[in-house]
Each structure stands twice: as structure tokens, then as C-alpha cells.
Amino acid sequence: MFKANWQKKGLLLGAAIAAMLLVAAACGGGAEPTPTSAPTATSAPVATPTATKVPPSPTPTPKFQPKKGGSLRFAQTSDPVTFDVHASSLSLLTNHTHLTHSRVLRYESLGWPEEANYGALTVTGDAAEKWEISQDGKTFTFHLRPGIKWPNVAPLNGRELTSEDAKKAFERILNEPKSIFKEFYEEITSMSTPDKYTLVMTIDKPLASWLYRVADGEAAWITAQDFIDAKGKDYGVRQDSLVGTGPFLIKSEETGSRYIYTRNPNYFLPNLPYVDEVVWLIIKDASAREAAFVSGQIDALGASRTSVPRIQKALPKAALDSNPGLSNTASGIMFNMTNPKWQDIRVRQAIQKGIDQGRIIADLYGGQGRYQGCMPTALSSFALSQDELKALYTYDPEGAKALLAAAGLSSGLTFEMTTFTGYQQRLLDIAELAQDDLKKIGVTVNLKPVPVASGRPAVEAGNFETVIQPHSTGVEPDEMIGGFTTGGGRNFMRVTDPKVDAWNLQQTVEFDVKKRAAITKEFSRYCAQQVVGLIPMPNEASFSFTQEWVKNFPISDVASDEPRELFAWVEK
Amino acid sequence: MTGYIIRRVLLIVPTAFLVVTLAFFAMHIVPGDAVLASIEEGTSLRPEQIAQMRESLGIDKPLLVQYGNWLRSALQGDFGKSLATGRPVTKQLFKAIPVSLELALLSQVIALAVAIPIGVISALRQDTFWDYVLRVFSIGMLAAPNFWLATLAIVLGAYWFFWAPPFGYVPIWQDPVVNMKQFLLPAAIMGLHGSATAMRMTRSAVLEVLRQDYIRTAHAKGLSPRRILMVHVLKNALIPVVTIWGVSIAYLLGGAIIIESIFALPGVGLSMLDAINSHDLTQLQANILFFGAAVVLVNLIVDLSYSLLDPRVRYN
């Protein structure tokens, strides 16, 4: 089980699970268990949820007085390749989908709007105003808000959104050939609509992550199947496919230049959004985007480490949002575990110890980065601390040499590392540093650069010795551990480890956050100690700016799944 | 003359055919295809999904069949839909052409406006201080890479004056003022860069003409230096300059990829770059076809202009 996306999002999910706990009375908290032996693959759920009704999360009264009107202007690198909302997870599209579409559930930042703390997310209603979960944790009943209107576009003509629309949207995700989110919802066994505002969804086993998936900010968009049918083959080709019940409506498209959205006067949350218009410009070049920001033509900018001081000097009142290097993507060196070279754990451990990750942070990232684990650091509740990760991935060239000698490789080792060209330059830099480090312990790494389009299928087919690439992205432990389980969708390494399989099975049905975190942390330690197919590499800090006149708009990766434009306003 | 023009226009057909055929098969040497290129990072589509997508795009068929299908449609005026976006490729191309055309023309006007006076002055003041200064200037412009000048201009403009050209292309017929704000800086950078070659060509051509007997005769007849320069020198010296100018325009119609990218101008160059990156063969074929035709047509116009500059040139 994994989510089809490697985009950095950096979401922290503890609160999402906390939301589950609100609805599912998990068994006693107790002390955090520390598994001392491997669980078995047939472990039963540690806790089972009980039937609960969830009230809609109260909308906080803002201390600020939001100002209405104005526009927000942003830039992205190129046009969306598709406008089929279920066929892409790239921000090139989701930047737009967040404006035009709604979901059954969505995330909500705790502390909005006084402190837009998007580091802690909870699940809240979007089109649904409340929901219930059955005692066995497998049936979810969502009650949609009455009176949500589709835009006045044929054949919808402003009709009301119904539970049948939501049901068909999930069916489309599961059945549409272009859909890339099938595996994300494959646990659905049935859906029904007892009335026009009620959607009942049943899954095959209780899952701690299910509400999060229903709230997913890349996949779970409610579409109108009758509109899609009417568009036929043209659906997804142009911006006019973006017809949803979101806070904004499409206004105009100028391919290669700009996409404009205007406030939806019939949006179902009263008085929102505040701004009248959102404009997405297409600016491919990074320097040009920086110039556009400094000259006030765009309102937000993702900035490089080196550009931060000069932007701050030029625009001292611009708000800076920085992420120290927490990421929910574990990128790193993957071993093809079916290759005889990697059968001996000592060889894998030697390579791990022979790479100086501290140097990557110091030299490559200018000291601004964080160690990464098999359970990514942005999933804070479920990940190991920096201190522990640093200890697990300590540079130890002498230890590495000893391990190689013990494995009968004192004369050295040579292997091939696949790298992808034209893609994530940082990974190429890391590969070169690793190559340099490993040379010092007698290991020769032959870098094999290949184009990503042809290289990726080769890696998926297992035609590699090692490869450096992103492993998985997730806001849920499911999505990460799933990439290490036997037959798992992103298990490129071909790991077959009963312990990992068992931990995965346990954590998916564990509703107690602490107990679940104990499992994922144990997995993460084991992954580092046993080098379970992956040596995660550190992540670089990232920075973003917003103009001084933009209020309540967090731009960080953390918030990228949020309808940020919904709550932002402009004070010029 | 008419027969000559018809023959040259007809030459577009085999030229374009040859170019697109070569491009079609060359693109298939590159590993991957439009479906593989479209699979997003982190997506793990099932093999049957990939097969289905290939089938729907028609790229599951043997290469010759694909080529035959494309050629048949193209001969009927249907260049197909983009393999990446599903949009009609001709529509995309026709949206990009005015951008590249405006950039090419404007930059070449600037190039000539700079190159001809400088080239003439440099020739008339051969081996003087001003000749050296102007030649250093032209070599400097030639040596400075376009992308560096463009980045410098855009970044320094923003940091020093909090100004950058308006981003988000606006056609000239919608708002000429904004359009000119968007195009003048990139056109000036390209024009100055292009002026170096034209300036050097102008200088050497003028020097050569100045040494001709008929110039000496003109001086002997008592014609004013201005008249000699404008009527007898420049007209004869311009033939090689016009040739270079024509080649530059034809080249720029294919798209100034870097400049278009930096100034966010959605021209043919950017379209070509996106098509290559996404293995979008149908879009690429249409763009290449246009480029081939443009080269032949511009060269024809250049050839025809020779007769205006030199009455001795005749086309039979």
C-alpha cells in the first residue's frame, strides 16, 4: 500500500490519527510498548475501534479581521500536463485542483488562523459535515452538507452535489484507466448511498489510516461523472475540465502563460474565500521566478538556501518559512536484495558505515539539513529522533573495512549504482560524495547515469545493482513501511523480511498512536541496523517566502495539501 | 521569376518530408516513450494500465505503421493530438508561432539597428580608436552568453530597481504596451548578441566595397561622401549581411529556447523543449515541420531580396 507520489510534502500526521482516536476508543493507553521480538504476520489488531459519531470540527473565530478582495498570484514551472484530477499527483495540477474541487474530508491546521500551524494536521469535514464509524472499524458513513452547488456548467447547471457524486468519484478512482490512485483505495469493498446526502463506505479491514486517505489532498477529489461523460475524450485536456465544488471557479486559461480563477460565490463555507481571484503564472526559470517575487509580481516563492539572504535584504518584510530538512520522502541508496552481492548483511552494513552523511549535510547542504530514516522524519510521531538517526548512520570507515574483511572482501568490492539524469540533481551530488567516501574503504562505485524515463522501468523490473532515488512519500506510516514489504508496490529493493511484513500488518490496524509509533520506530531501527534494502540519505533544508501583504498563507511544503488560498487574504 | 518562386516553394515539400522523417526515426532511438515519460514520480502503474495507455495513443504499433499513420493524417492536414496533453498540436503550434516570430523580428531589427551603423563606422574609421572600441564591443556581445546576459538583466533589474518585465505573455493586439515591456528586454539581449556577427560582416563588406573601382569613380565624379556611402557602398555591402540576417531569423523561428524560458515567453522553443522532454512525438513533428518550412521560406525571401539590392541578380 502506498501513495503514488514522491513530492515532498512534509506533513506530520499525529493529529490525523488523533482524529481517529476521537472516533475510535482505542484500548488503554498504557506505557509505550517496545517490541522486543518480531511480531508474527498473523498478529491481530492491538485495538479495535468502536462506533462513534464525530461532530464537525468547530470553525474557530479568527482574532484577525480578514480583508476581502484582491488577488493572489503564484508561479509554477509549467502547465499541468493533464487536468484530469485523478490522473496526476503533481503540484502542477494540485495547485489548481485545490482551488476548484472539494473532498469528502480534508485536513485542517490546528490553531488556524492565528497560528497557521500546518505542522499538525487533523482531519475535518469538507463536503461532509459529519461522519460515523462502525464498531468493527470497517464501515464509514459520511453525511454531506446539503445545498452544495456545482457550477453553472452544462450538464450540471448548478445542481446540488449528492452522495451519488461522491460515490462515483471514488468508483472513478478505482476504475478509470488513467487513475493513478487505484491502490490507495483498493480496500473499499462496497459503497452505497441510502439518501442523497449519505455515503456509506465499507473497507475490508479496519485501517488506522483510512480517514486520512478519504481526506487525501491529491487523490480524493469529488468529480461529477455526468460532466466527465459529457466532456468525453476532452475531459482532462484543458482547464475547463476543472469543474468542482471548490472555493474558486475557472475564469480563463492561457496555455504557457497563466491560469486565472475567480471566487466561487456559492461556495459552501460562508464568507470564504476572502480573495476575489487567484492567478497561476507559468515561469519556468528559477531566476525569473525570484525576479518576479522581488519585483512584486508574485506573492509566494520557494527559495534556495543561497538566495534567502539576498531576498531578505531586498524585502525585509517578506515572511520567511523554513523547514530545517524534515521530509516525508525517504530518498537514498537502494540495494537490489536479489543480487548475491547483497546477501551478506556485513557488506550492506559496511557500505552504510562507509558513507559520511555528516559531510553531505555539512558540505552539500551548507550545514542545513537533517538525517533521514526509513520512517521519514516529517512523520514526527512515528519517526526516530535526529540524535538516534545520527547514531544509527554514523560514519565509521574503520568499522566498514573490518566488516568487509570479515565478509571476505578485504581486497575490495566493485558495484554499479544507477542514477537518473535530468532529475533531482541533489541525488547525483550525493551519489558522487558516496562514491568518493566508499573509495576510501576499498569499494569502487561505478555510477551509471540513465535517463529517468527509461531508467525507472528498468529499476522497477529489478535490472540494477544499486540505485539512488526517492523511495516513498507518505503522510501515513502505511505508505512507508509498505515499500519494504514482500510484494509491496514500491519495494524496488525486493526485500522479503517476515519481520517487516509483520510490523506492517500490525501498524495498519493499530489505532493507538503510541503503540503504532512504537512499531514504526522499531521498524526504523531495524531498517537501519539490518540495512533493509535502503540507506536513507539526509534531506536539505527548504525555504519559502510570502509577500508582506499576504496574510494567513503558509507556503511551506507542510501545507501543500491544504486549501491555503481558501483562508488567505491580502492587505495591500 | 514566378517559376523560380514556385520551384522554391515546392522545394518545401521534400525538405520538410525529409526533416520530419529523420526526426521521427531519430526520436525512436531515444529510450522510452510518451507513456513512460508521462508516468509521474512515485507512480507505479500496472503493466496492463501502461499497455492500455500505449494502445490509446497508438504507440503500441510497429514503427513503420505509426509513421504511415502519422503521414497519412498529415497529408490530410491533420497533425494529430499531443501525446502528452491530448490537445491538437497545430493549435498549440499556432499559439506559439506569434511569440517566436515577434521575438525573432524584434531582436533582428535591434541587431541590424546596432550592427549596420557600428559596422559602417568601424569600416570608415578602420584601425582607429573607435574601430577598436566598436570591435571590442561586438566581440564582447558575441562572447557573452545569452542566458548569462538575460539572467543578469532580469535579476539585477529586480534587485536594483524592483522591476522585472511583466510575466505572463500578453499578445501585442491585446495590450501593445505590456507586450513591448515583455519583449524589449529579451529582444535587446538577443539583438545585441546577434548584432556582433552582422556588425563584423558589415565592416568587412564595407571595407571590401570601399576598395572597388566604382567607388573611386564615384569620388572622382564629385559625389558627396554621404551619397557614395548610402547608394554605392551600403547597397552592395548589404548582400552578405542580409544573408546572415535571414539565416538568423529562420533559426530564431525555431525558438530561442533559453530566452523564451527565462522571460516566460511561450514560443516555439519552449514548446519544442517540452515536447522533447515528454516524448511528445506528434507535437515535435508539427514543430519540426514548421521549422523546416520556415527555413526554406525565409531563405527564399532572402534570395529574392538580392535582386532588390543588386539589379544584376536575375532569377530564371
Side-chain angles (χ1 to χ4, degrees):
Chain A
M1 176 52 53
F2 63 93
K3 183 176 166 190
N5 171 20
W6 292 350
Q7 282 175 280
K8 279 177 67 182
K9 292 187 296 186
L11 290 174
L12 309 178
L13 192 71
I17 302 305
M20 287 296 291
L21 284 174
L22 287 174
V23 300
C27 72
E32 178 175 327
T34 308
T36 50
S37 60
T40 60
T42 51
S43 297
V46 177
T48 52
T50 55
T52 313
K53 284 193 175 184
V54 181
S57 60
T59 304
T61 309
K63 284 178 189 167
F64 302 125
Q65 188 55 49
K67 199 174 169 185
K68 286 208 166 194
S71 67
L72 286 168
R73 295 167 67 86
F74 309 108
Q76 62 182 45
T77 55
S78 60
D79 299 286
V81 175
T82 177
F83 287 93
D84 182 336
V85 299
H86 297 138
S88 176
S89 64
L90 297 182
S91 58
L92 292 179
L93 175 65
T94 56
N95 287 340
H96 304 252
T97 326
H98 278 288
L99 302 174
T100 55
H101 284 66
S102 54
R103 297 163 262 177
V104 172
L105 303 177
R106 66 172 173 83
Y107 309 134
E108 187 174 68
S109 162
L110 297 179
W112 174 86
E114 289 80 13
E115 296 173 40
N117 177 11
Y118 280 78
L121 295 172
T122 186
V123 173
T124 188
D126 196 16
E129 59 182 350
K130 58 184 179 178
W131 62 94
E132 295 144 21
I133 303 174
S134 66
Q135 192 158 6
D136 63 3
K138 296 199 288 190
T139 301
F140 296 73
T141 305
F142 300 101
H143 301 279
L144 304 187
R145 299 168 201 265
I148 298 176
K149 300 285 187 190
W150 290 100
N152 195 17
V153 173
L156 305 171
N157 301 321
R159 73 165 171 81
E160 193 175 24
L161 180 144
T162 65
S163 50
E164 194 63 28
D165 290 320
K167 176 172 171 271
K168 284 181 177 171
F170 280 106
E171 285 170 350
R172 182 172 192 272
I173 294 172
L174 288 166
N175 301 320
E176 162 62 41
K178 289 179 190 166
S179 164
I180 61 169
F181 301 110
K182 287 179 202 296
E183 294 186 34
F184 207 40
Y185 298 100
E186 65 188 3
E187 285 84 357
I188 295 176
T189 53
S190 68
M191 283 187 286
S192 62
T193 52
D195 61 58
K196 65 192 252 189
Y197 300 121
T198 307
L199 169 68
V200 180
M201 186 183 275
T202 306
I203 55 177
D204 59 4
K205 57 177 179 282
L207 287 172
S209 60
W210 192 253
L211 282 185
Y212 152 71
R213 294 193 206 175
V214 175
D216 186 82
E218 289 168 354
W221 305 111
I222 304 176
T223 47
Q225 193 57 45
D226 42 349
F227 171 75
I228 293 172
D229 291 341
K231 291 285 283 180
K233 282 190 170 181
D234 285 338
Y235 179 74
V237 173
R238 306 192 72 89
Q239 186 206 30
D240 61 10
S241 301
L242 294 181
V243 170
T245 51
F248 294 89
L249 304 171
I250 53 172
K251 184 179 177 187
S252 67
E253 167 187 2
E254 291 159 46
T255 312
S257 300
R258 65 171 71 72
Y259 296 84
I260 304 179
Y261 299 86
T262 186
R263 188 174 184 274
N264 180 358
N266 298 318
Y267 184 56
F268 54 83
L269 291 178
N271 300 319
L272 290 169
Y274 299 121
V275 293
D276 289 336
E277 195 173 79
V278 176
V279 180
W280 276 96
L281 295 170
I282 307 299
I283 307 178
K284 201 178 271 290
D285 184 75
S287 305
R289 287 195 299 276
E290 188 178 324
F293 183 75
V294 174
S295 62
Q297 295 187 47
I298 56 173
D299 294 321
L301 177 76
S304 66
R305 174 169 48 85
T306 50
S307 67
V308 167
R310 64 173 178 262
I311 295 172
Q312 280 186 309
K313 194 177 171 190
L315 303 173
K317 289 182 180 172
L320 172 66
D321 188 356
S322 58
N323 173 343
L326 299 176
S327 171
N328 65 342
T329 303
S331 299
I333 297 168
M334 298 180 192
F335 297 95
N336 184 343
M337 298 291 276
T338 60
N339 189 310
K341 275 183 188 171
W342 313 125
Q343 298 302 311
D344 189 334
I345 184 178
R346 291 170 298 187
V347 181
R348 303 196 305 269
Q349 286 172 331
I351 290 171
Q352 183 166 293
K353 286 176 185 292
I355 298 172
D356 187 353
Q357 297 206 14
R359 182 161 80 119
I360 293 170
I361 295 175
D363 293 355
L364 211 54
Y365 301 163
Q368 299 191 55
R370 292 286 173 97
Y371 284 84
Q372 183 59 289
C374 291
M375 184 56 60
T377 46
L379 278 71
S380 54
S381 312
F382 304 99
L384 299 177
S385 68
Q386 277 298 297
D387 288 342
E388 194 167 357
L389 286 172
K390 195 174 175 181
L392 285 166
Y393 293 103
T394 299
Y395 178 50
D396 179 10
E398 293 310 316
K401 282 181 194 170
L403 282 164
L404 285 175
L409 293 168
S410 47
S411 57
L413 166 72
T414 300
F415 69 88
E416 194 175 78
M417 187 187 295
T418 302
T419 61
F420 295 138
T421 54
Y423 166 80
Q424 296 213 7
Q425 179 60 38
R426 273 294 183 237
L427 291 180
L428 299 180
D429 298 336
I430 290 173
E432 286 172 6
L433 282 183
Q435 183 187 37
D436 185 49
D437 284 340
L438 292 173
K439 199 175 173 183
K440 294 169 194 162
I441 61 164
V443 173
T444 305
V445 182
N446 295 320
L447 298 182
K448 183 187 174 190
V450 292
V452 65
S454 56
R456 204 160 45 199
V459 167
E460 289 193 21
N463 300 323
F464 69 102
E465 277 193 335
T466 63
V467 60
I468 185 161
Q469 66 165 3
H471 173 245
S472 279
T473 285
V475 294
E476 253 292 318
D478 270 10
E479 303 168 64
M480 306 312 305
I481 303 187
F484 292 88
T485 55
T486 307
R490 298 199 59 75
N491 184 358
F492 302 126
M493 303 88 73
R494 285 148 175 80
V495 171
T496 50
D497 188 324
K499 284 186 181 180
V500 176
D501 292 347
W503 277 323
N504 181 50
L505 199 64
Q506 265 200 342
Q507 66 80 28
T508 57
V509 294
E510 175 56 74
F511 282 73
D512 184 301
V513 175
K514 283 186 177 173
K515 289 179 181 174
R516 195 174 181 213
I519 298 169
T520 60
K521 286 177 181 176
E522 191 63 16
F523 155 74
S524 207
R525 282 183 203 106
Y526 178 81
C527 185
Q529 287 157 355
Q530 303 291 311
V531 195
V532 185
L534 174 73
I535 306 175
M537 288 293 144
N539 287 101
E540 191 171 10
S542 62
F543 306 90
S544 332
F545 283 97
T546 43
Q547 300 282 11
E548 59 172 296
W549 52 79
V550 177
K551 305 298 175 189
N552 202 39
F553 183 86
I555 189 182
S556 70
D557 293 341
V558 171
S560 64
D561 272 352
E562 281 301 280
R564 295 172 291 178
E565 297 85 353
L566 178 59
F567 302 115
W569 66 89
V570 174
E571 286 180 8
K572 267 195 175 175
Chain B
M1 178 85 160
T2 312
Y4 174 80
I5 294 173
I6 291 171
R7 276 200 306 278
R8 289 289 299 270
V9 170
L10 286 177
L11 194 63
I12 292 175
V13 178
T15 308
F17 173 76
L18 194 67
V19 170
V20 292
T21 304
L22 282 174
F24 183 89
F25 290 103
M27 273 302 287
H28 281 88
I29 296 171
V30 182
D33 62 31
V35 171
L36 291 179
S38 74
I39 298 174
E40 293 176 3
E41 296 170 5
T43 307
S44 186
L45 292 180
R46 293 167 180 150
E48 61 270 21
Q49 250 182 309
I50 292 176
Q52 204 173 354
M53 288 165 78
R54 282 194 174 123
E55 190 185 341
S56 70
L57 293 175
I59 57 172
D60 58 327
K61 298 181 175 65
L63 202 55
L64 282 175
V65 175
Q66 286 183 50
Y67 179 68
N69 288 344
W70 179 83
L71 199 61
R72 194 167 43 250
S73 301
L75 288 172
Q76 292 164 3
D78 175 12
F79 291 92
K81 289 184 175 176
S82 158
L83 296 181
T85 65
R87 301 177 183 195
V89 293
T90 39
K91 208 169 173 183
Q92 294 295 103
L93 180 60
F94 288 141
K95 281 181 81 171
I97 287 172
V99 180
S100 290
L101 188 64
E102 185 179 351
L103 192 59
L105 286 175
L106 205 55
S107 66
Q108 289 311 296
V109 166
I110 292 171
L112 283 192
V114 172
I116 292 177
I118 288 181
V120 170
I121 293 168
S122 204
L124 294 177
R125 302 276 183 272
Q126 190 188 5
D127 296 334
T128 63
F129 171 76
W130 282 112
D131 182 26
Y132 288 122
V133 168
L134 294 173
R135 282 162 68 188
V136 166
F137 170 75
S138 80
I139 292 198
M141 284 294 111
L142 196 62
N146 263 349
F147 70 87
W148 178 74
L149 279 178
T151 307
L152 211 59
I154 214 163
V155 170
L156 293 184
Y159 279 98
W160 289 353
F161 309 110
F162 295 98
W163 181 89
F167 291 100
Y169 168 67
V170 176
I172 195 164
W173 53 89
Q174 261 181 30
D175 190 334
V177 176
V178 173
N179 177 273
M180 278 297 114
K181 282 183 183 171
Q182 293 179 325
F183 277 83
L184 273 179
L185 189 56
I189 289 165
M190 286 169 64
L192 286 175
H193 187 75
S195 71
T197 314
M199 177 264 166
R200 292 173 68 77
M201 187 57 75
T202 306
R203 181 180 179 275
S204 64
V206 169
L207 281 175
E208 195 182 325
V209 174
L210 284 173
R211 293 182 185 117
Q212 297 297 316
D213 290 344
Y214 59 84
I215 298 296
R216 199 177 302 117
T217 307
H219 280 294
K221 282 167 68 179
L223 291 179
S224 71
R226 177 184 293 271
R227 187 169 168 77
I228 293 171
L229 179 68
M230 301 306 289
V231 176
H232 298 287
V233 176
L234 264 186
K235 214 170 167 186
N236 286 296
L238 279 182
I239 287 184
V241 179
V242 167
T243 307
I244 284 187
W245 193 72
V247 170
S248 298
I249 288 227
Y251 171 74
L252 290 175
L253 281 177
I257 293 177
I258 292 171
I259 294 291
E260 286 176 8
S261 173
I262 292 175
F263 288 92
L265 298 171
V268 180
L270 273 188
S271 160
M272 195 89 101
L273 183 67
D274 288 341
I276 290 169
N277 285 338
S278 57
H279 279 256
D280 188 354
L281 206 59
T282 45
Q283 185 68 61
L284 202 60
Q285 292 286 87
N287 287 19
I288 288 171
L289 195 64
F290 161 75
F291 183 52
V295 168
V296 176
L297 267 179
V298 171
N299 274 300
L300 172 62
I301 294 166
V302 168
D303 286 352
L304 294 177
S305 71
Y306 292 162
S307 65
L308 296 175
L309 294 168
D310 186 347
R312 292 170 299 180
V313 177
R314 290 284 181 273
Y315 299 100
N316 297 310

